[in-house]
Amino acid sequence: MATNTKDDTKAWMGARLERKEDLRLITGQGRYLGDVVLPGMLYAVFVRSEYAHAKIVSIDASEALALPGVVAVYKGEDLMGKVKSMRQPVLLPNLPAKFPEYWALAVGTAKFHGEPVAVVVARDKYVAVDAAELVAVEYEELPVVIDPEAALADGSTLVHPDSGTNEIFGMTFTGGATEEEQKKNEAEVEAIFAGADVVVKHRFRVHRTGVTPMEPRGCLCDWSDADGLTAWITTQRPHIDRLGLADILEIPAQQVRVIAPRDQGGGFGVKAPFFRENVVVAFAARELGRPVRWVESRYESLMNVGQERDQINVCEVAASKDGKLLALRNRGIADNGTGQTGVYWGFVMPFLGAVEMPNGYTWGKGDIKLRVATTNKACLTPSRAFGHFPTRFAVERSIDMVAHRLGMEPSDLRRKNIVPQLPYTSVTGEYYDSGNFLKVWDNLMTHIDLPAFRREQAAARAQGRYLGIGFACGVELSGVASELLVPMENQPGYGAASVRLDPRGKVHVYGGDAPGGQGHETTVAQVVAATFGIAPTDTVVTTGDTGTTPFGAGTIGARAGSYFVSAVHKACQELKKKITRILAHDLALEAEEEDFEFANGQVTLIRDRSQTKTFREIVERIIMAPVNLPEGEVGGLDATAFFEALKPMICFNADFCVVEVNADSGEFKILRWVSSEDVGNVINPMIVDGQMHGAIVQGLSNAMFEQFIYDERGQQLTADFERYKLATAADVPDLQITYASTPCPHTPLGTRGIGEGRPSSVSGALSNAVCDALAPFGIEITELPLRPDAVWRQIQAAKAAR
C-alpha cells in the first residue's frame, strides 16, 4: 500500500497503490453483463451444429415454438435480406486474403462443430435451453479437413468452395516487396546456409490452445424505434462493435450505442473480435421490440473461442563457429479454422507472429514465409501472445540447439546476438524504437549465479538427479501504431481520452477502450493525481461506452500503458495550462505554467509561495464563475486529447527458469522462475507485477496443460474443464519479477505498455530447461504441449538408441 501523505503527491507515479477496483470486486459489488437487467427482458440460446461439416437439409422448430414461454426461433434464412453478410469493409484487414462470405447464422452448410445454425428466444433462460434441444436439424454429413497440411494439398476438401482454395492467406515477410527482390534474398540466404559452420533445422509443432477468461462472452440488446439500438457487450472494442453492428444491421450509426460493462472477467484477446452472435441478438431485439440477452456457457466458449497457436514451423538457423547467428529461415503453416471471425479472420495472428519471429536477436539475413489454411475447426481468435507464441518457441529452441552444437552456454550465445543498440529494424521490417536489450539481459543474469548452478547440476547428476536451466526473451508491441494496425485490422491505433473537471475539483476520465480487469482505473487515477497534485481517490474513470467516450480502437496490444495513459496525460496538461493562465490573471501576475506547483491539493506560485489557491477553489472559479476571464478564455474545464507516437513502440523481457526432471517418469518440476522486464517508467509496480504473474502462468498453462483436441470427424472433444485442464497455483512456482527499465522517449511519461505478448517467451524457456536437464540423453523438444508422457517417451527412445 502506498504511504503518500499530503506533502508527497508527486510520488503517486511509481507507487504500489492498491487497486481501486478491488473493493467492489472482492465484496461482490462488481457489475458484470449478467447483472444488467431490463424490464421485459428475453433470453437467447443458440442451436449449434453437431457436425464439423454438413449440409443443413432442414430445421424444424415446431416443437420448440409449442413450448410455453418460447417467443421466437430464427434460422439463417430468416435473417437473409434483413441482415447483411459478415464480410463488411469495416471488419476486413487491408491484407491480401481470401475472406470467406458468411452470415450471422449458418446458411446452407455448417462448417465447424459448434457453428450457430439457429437461435431460440424465450421469456426464461431455462425454457430457452429446453427449447433449443427441441429444434430438430437434419444434416447431411460432408467430408472434413482438419489438418492444415492436408488442407493445402491438391484435391483437398474445400472449406469454402467459392474461394477455390483452402489457403486463406500467404505472405513472404523478408527480402522486399517484389517477387524479384524476394527471390534474390532467398538465394542470398541459401548461400549463407551453404557456407555456415553450423546449421540447425527442425520442424516445430505448437498445438491449438489459448486463453479462457473467467467470464465468457455475452450481450444484451435493447431496441427503440425512436433511439435505435443499445447493446451491452462483453467486448474489448466497443467502438469497433458499434460500427460493425451499424453496417451489418443497416442502422444509422448515430442510432447505435455499445456499452462494455464496467466489469469484465478477463478478455486476453478473446473479446476483441466482432462476433456473429451479437448480430443475431441485436436482430432479435429489433424484430421483437424487447430486450434480448445471451450469455455464453462455458461449453460454448470452449467450443468457439479462445483457440489460437496451432502452427507448424520448419525453422532453420545458420551460425558461425564462434556463435554468431547468420541467418533465419522459416516455412510456417497455420491452421486457421474456418476463418469466420470479424476483424481478425483467424490469419491476422499468424501474420503478426511471422513479423515478430526474429525476436530480440540480430540476424544477418532472413527468409520467412507463411501459409495459412482453412479447416473445419473453430476459427482462430486472438489470445495473449498474439500469433508469436509458436514462432517464438521455434526460435528459442533453435538457438539452444545451436548452442548445444557449438558447446556454448546458451546464455552466452544469446547475449552475443541480442540487438545491441536501438533503434533497430528486424529482417522482417519490424521497427524496434528504443530501450536497452542488453541491460534487460544483464539484469536477469545478476539474479543468477550460473557457475554455481553448473556445479550444483553436475553434483546432482552424479546422484541420478537431473536439473536444468532455460532462457528465452521476447520483443513485444507496446501498443499498436496506426501504421501497423490500419493494414493489419483496418483500425486506427491512436489513443484517446476525455478529461473533465467538476466544480468540486474532482476529475472524470473517459476512455473508449474497454479493459477486462487490468487495473486501468487505478493507474489512470495515479497519472491524474501526479499531474494535478491531488489524490487518486479524486478521479473516476469511465470506459467503453460509445455514447460518452471518444473513439478508441480497443483494449488490445498493451495500449493502456502507452497510448491511453499518454492521451490522459496530454488532456490533463491542456487543462493544467488553462488553470494556470486564469490563476495568473486573477493574481495579476506575469507567469507561465512552469511557474506554478500543483501539489497537496494546492496550486502555488513557486517564487512566492504566499500566492496560492486550493485546486478546488480555482477549478470552481473557472467552471462556476466564468467572469473577468483573460481575453479569449471561456469557462469550463474539459479536454479531449489524442495520442499517436511518432514511431511504433516495443518493450522487452527475458526469462530464466530452473527445473528438475525425473528421468524414470518424465515428470518435471519448476523450481525457480525469474524475469527481467523493461516497461519504461512504471506507474504502479504492483499492477505490473500482477500482469507479469498472470502472463507467465498463462504461458506455462498453455505450454504444459491446455489443448483443444478434435477427432478425425472434426468433433471438439475438450469443451469442458474436465478435459481442458488449466494450470492451478499448485502447478507453478513463485515468480520473481525484476525490472531493468529505460524510459520510452516517444511517450510523455516515458511509459511503455506490456503484458499482451508476455506469455510468448515462456514455452521456450521451460522447454530449454527440460532439455538442459536431460542433456545426457541428447533430447531436443520440438513439440508442445510439454507433458511428462512425451518427455518419458523421448528418454526411452534415447536409451534405446544407445
Side-chain angles (χ1 to χ4, degrees):
M1 175 69 178
T3 57
N4 300 67
T5 61
K6 284 193 173 182
D7 60 353
D8 196 24
T9 50
K10 290 295 181 186
W12 289 124
M13 283 293 292
R16 287 183 171 271
L17 180 66
E18 291 181 355
R19 298 190 347 151
K20 294 180 66 178
E21 301 91 328
D22 288 349
L23 176 61
R24 68 174 185 271
L25 295 178
I26 64 177
T27 57
Q29 298 178 69
R31 186 169 172 81
Y32 297 85
L33 178 77
D35 298 313
V36 182
V37 177
L38 298 180
M41 189 170 67
L42 303 174
Y43 298 83
V45 170
F46 285 91
V47 179
R48 298 186 179 273
S49 174
E50 301 171 13
Y51 296 94
H53 196 197
K55 178 181 178 181
I56 302 172
V57 178
S58 65
I59 299 177
D60 182 359
S62 56
E63 285 192 58
L65 288 167
L67 195 66
V70 173
V71 176
V73 178
Y74 299 107
K75 51 186 182 293
E77 287 77 5
D78 297 327
L79 277 60
M80 303 298 285
K82 299 179 180 179
V83 175
K84 296 173 74 173
S85 158
M86 298 289 288
R87 191 172 65 184
Q88 296 303 309
V90 71
L91 305 175
L92 299 182
N94 292 317
L95 291 169
K98 295 184 179 297
F99 299 101
E101 190 88 74
Y102 75 104
W103 310 88
L105 290 172
V107 176
T109 306
K111 298 185 175 180
F112 69 94
H113 181 207
E115 181 171 12
V117 299
V119 65
V120 173
V121 183
R123 291 197 296 267
D124 179 276
K125 62 182 179 180
Y126 301 105
V127 170
V129 170
D130 291 341
E133 294 178 356
L134 295 176
V135 176
V137 185
E138 182 182 351
Y139 296 97
E140 182 181 304
E141 195 168 1
L142 299 171
V144 300
V145 57
I146 57 170
D147 177 80
E149 291 175 304
L152 295 173
D154 292 339
S156 174
T157 295
L158 295 180
V159 178
H160 303 291
D162 290 346
S163 297
T165 176
N166 282 328
E167 184 172 315
I168 188 172
F169 177 79
M171 182 174 280
T172 297
F173 293 82
T174 45
T178 68
E179 186 175 351
E180 182 181 0
E181 290 172 321
Q182 292 167 3
K183 291 292 184 185
K184 180 176 180 291
N185 181 69
E186 286 178 30
E188 292 171 351
V189 171
E190 177 57 36
I192 292 172
F193 273 91
D197 297 322
V198 173
V199 173
V200 167
K201 178 180 180 180
H202 281 278
R203 172 189 166 99
F204 296 91
R205 182 71 191 253
V206 173
H207 57 303
R208 179 169 284 228
T209 184
V211 290
T212 51
M214 288 188 293
E215 178 195 29
R217 298 176 297 152
C219 67
L220 167 59
C221 294
D222 189 23
W223 175 262
S224 162
D225 290 337
D227 299 323
L229 176 69
T230 301
W232 289 261
I233 302 176
T234 54
T235 177
Q236 296 168 226
R237 313 184 76 174
H239 284 272
I240 304 303
D241 281 7
R242 172 179 173 267
L243 295 176
L245 288 171
D247 289 357
I248 291 176
L249 293 164
E250 297 185 279
I251 303 171
Q254 74 273 16
Q255 290 191 303
V256 180
R257 180 182 180 185
V258 173
I259 303 168
R262 182 185 188 187
D263 299 312
Q264 294 191 58
F268 313 117
V270 168
K271 296 171 183 174
F274 183 83
F275 289 112
R276 60 204 297 180
E277 289 92 347
N278 300 339
V279 174
V280 177
V281 175
F283 165 81
R286 183 174 63 177
E287 287 288 299
L288 299 171
R290 299 267 299 276
V292 179
R293 184 168 74 186
W294 166 68
V295 175
E296 183 180 48
S297 69
R298 182 61 63 185
Y299 177 81
E300 288 178 293
S301 179
L302 291 169
M303 286 277 288
N304 287 275
V305 295
Q307 302 187 25
E308 215 224 90
R309 324 313 186 199
D310 211 353
Q311 286 188 38
I312 299 164
N313 287 286
V314 179
C315 182
E316 301 175 74
V317 171
S320 64
K321 59 186 177 183
D322 63 349
K324 182 63 180 172
L325 299 176
L326 303 175
L328 172 66
R329 181 160 56 192
N330 191 67
R331 297 295 181 264
I333 294 176
D335 186 337
N336 196 61
T338 62
Q340 295 172 310
T341 301
V343 178
Y344 298 94
W345 302 83
F347 70 84
V348 173
M349 287 76 74
F351 161 82
L352 187 60
V355 169
E356 297 206 307
M357 188 168 193
N359 204 0
Y361 305 107
T362 56
W363 305 92
K365 281 282 183 178
D367 176 12
I368 296 174
K369 298 181 186 294
L370 171 69
R371 299 178 73 194
V372 184
T374 49
T375 62
N376 293 115
K377 296 178 182 175
C379 181
L380 293 187
T381 50
S383 290
R384 210 171 184 180
F386 189 103
H388 48 277
F389 191 93
T391 52
R392 200 141 290 170
F393 170 69
V395 164
E396 292 294 342
R397 285 296 300 119
S398 295
I399 288 174
D400 257 42
M401 292 175 182
V402 169
H404 298 166
R405 288 277 298 275
L406 293 172
M408 286 184 68
E409 275 287 356
S411 58
D412 292 340
L413 190 144
R414 280 180 171 78
R415 194 186 192 285
K416 186 181 185 73
N417 291 281
I418 284 175
V419 173
Q421 190 171 355
L422 283 84
Y424 176 84
T425 301
S426 77
V427 293
T428 59
E430 184 177 12
Y431 181 79
Y432 301 165
D433 70 296
S434 63
N436 188 330
F437 291 1
L438 289 174
K439 176 183 175 183
V440 174
W441 184 262
D442 291 343
N443 173 66
L444 181 72
M445 297 305 294
T446 63
H447 293 83
I448 301 160
D449 187 340
L450 188 57
F453 173 81
R454 290 303 184 198
R455 291 192 295 271
E456 180 186 1
Q457 182 183 50
R461 283 179 182 168
Q463 301 168 2
R465 295 172 54 229
Y466 295 89
L467 302 177
I469 56 173
F471 298 91
C473 64
V475 172
E476 178 186 343
L477 293 175
S478 176
V480 189
S482 289
E483 69 176 58
L484 176 58
L485 200 58
V486 169
M488 191 170 76
E489 298 183 11
N490 200 15
Q491 320 294 348
Y494 56 75
S498 295
V499 177
R500 176 184 303 163
L501 274 61
D502 74 17
R504 299 298 180 260
K506 308 305 179 182
V507 184
H508 301 261
V509 177
Y510 299 88
D513 299 346
Q518 299 97 316
H520 293 180
E521 293 177 38
T522 303
T523 51
V524 167
Q526 287 179 255
V527 168
V528 172
T531 304
F532 289 136
I534 58 179
T537 51
D538 290 337
T539 295
V540 173
V541 180
T542 299
T543 55
D545 182 345
T546 65
T548 61
T549 64
F551 183 90
T555 301
I556 58 169
R559 283 166 45 83
S562 51
Y563 283 79
F564 180 45
V565 159
S566 296
V568 171
H569 177 74
K570 191 174 176 182
C572 288
Q573 290 298 117
E574 184 177 331
L575 295 175
K576 195 172 179 181
K577 287 183 174 69
K578 182 173 181 178
I579 290 169
T580 54
R581 286 196 305 269
I582 295 174
L583 180 56
H585 169 79
D586 288 354
L587 296 174
L589 298 169
E590 289 290 333
E592 304 295 333
E593 178 193 351
E594 57 268 21
D595 296 321
F596 289 93
E597 177 187 70
F598 284 69
N600 315 322
Q602 306 279 330
V603 184
T604 305
L605 185 66
I606 296 172
R607 66 174 179 262
D608 180 2
R609 304 193 73 85
S610 66
Q611 302 284 0
T612 185
K613 282 188 177 291
T614 68
F615 184 74
R616 172 176 169 169
E617 282 177 322
I618 184 59
V619 168
E620 188 167 7
R621 177 265 191 273
I622 295 170
I623 297 173
M624 299 300 291
V627 294
N628 300 321
L629 294 173
E631 185 177 353
E633 293 283 6
V634 295
L637 286 169
D638 287 36
T640 296
F642 297 85
F643 173 81
E644 181 87 83
L646 296 175
K647 294 287 186 180
M649 299 178 292
I650 54 94
C651 51
F652 185 69
N653 73 274
D655 280 323
F656 162 80
C657 72
V658 180
V659 302
E660 180 169 359
V661 183
N662 184 325
D664 295 325
S665 66
E667 293 175 296
F668 56 90
K669 183 177 181 180
I670 304 169
L671 303 178
R672 189 182 179 202
W673 196 285
V674 183
S675 83
S676 179
E677 315 284 345
D678 181 2
V679 301
N681 289 336
V682 180
I683 299 172
N684 186 322
M686 185 172 69
I687 285 181
V688 180
D689 283 356
Q691 285 293 302
M692 298 306 99
H693 288 158
I696 293 168
V697 170
Q698 281 184 328
L700 291 172
S701 190
N702 279 187
M704 297 189 294
F705 301 120
E706 302 176 49
Q707 184 178 17
F708 290 107
I709 298 173
Y710 291 79
D711 70 12
E712 66 280 358
R713 295 176 60 196
Q715 297 287 303
Q716 223 272 65
L717 304 179
T718 44
D720 57 54
F721 284 145
E722 183 178 0
R723 296 166 181 82
Y724 189 83
K725 176 174 166 49
L726 299 172
T728 68
D731 299 311
V732 296
D734 181 54
L735 304 173
Q736 183 182 354
I737 311 299
T738 70
Y739 296 93
S741 292
T742 55
C744 178
H746 306 301
T747 59
L749 295 170
T751 55
R752 304 179 191 271
I754 193 170
E756 191 280 326
R758 186 59 184 79
S760 63
S761 57
V762 171
S763 62
L766 176 63
S767 300
N768 288 336
V770 171
C771 291
D772 183 64
L774 298 176
F777 299 94
I779 286 171
E780 298 288 10
I781 292 164
T782 58
E783 288 193 19
L784 296 178
L786 179 61
R787 292 180 180 152
D789 60 325
V791 174
W792 180 84
R793 283 194 295 270
Q794 287 213 44
I795 294 171
Q796 299 313 303
K799 289 179 177 179
R802 286 178 174 175

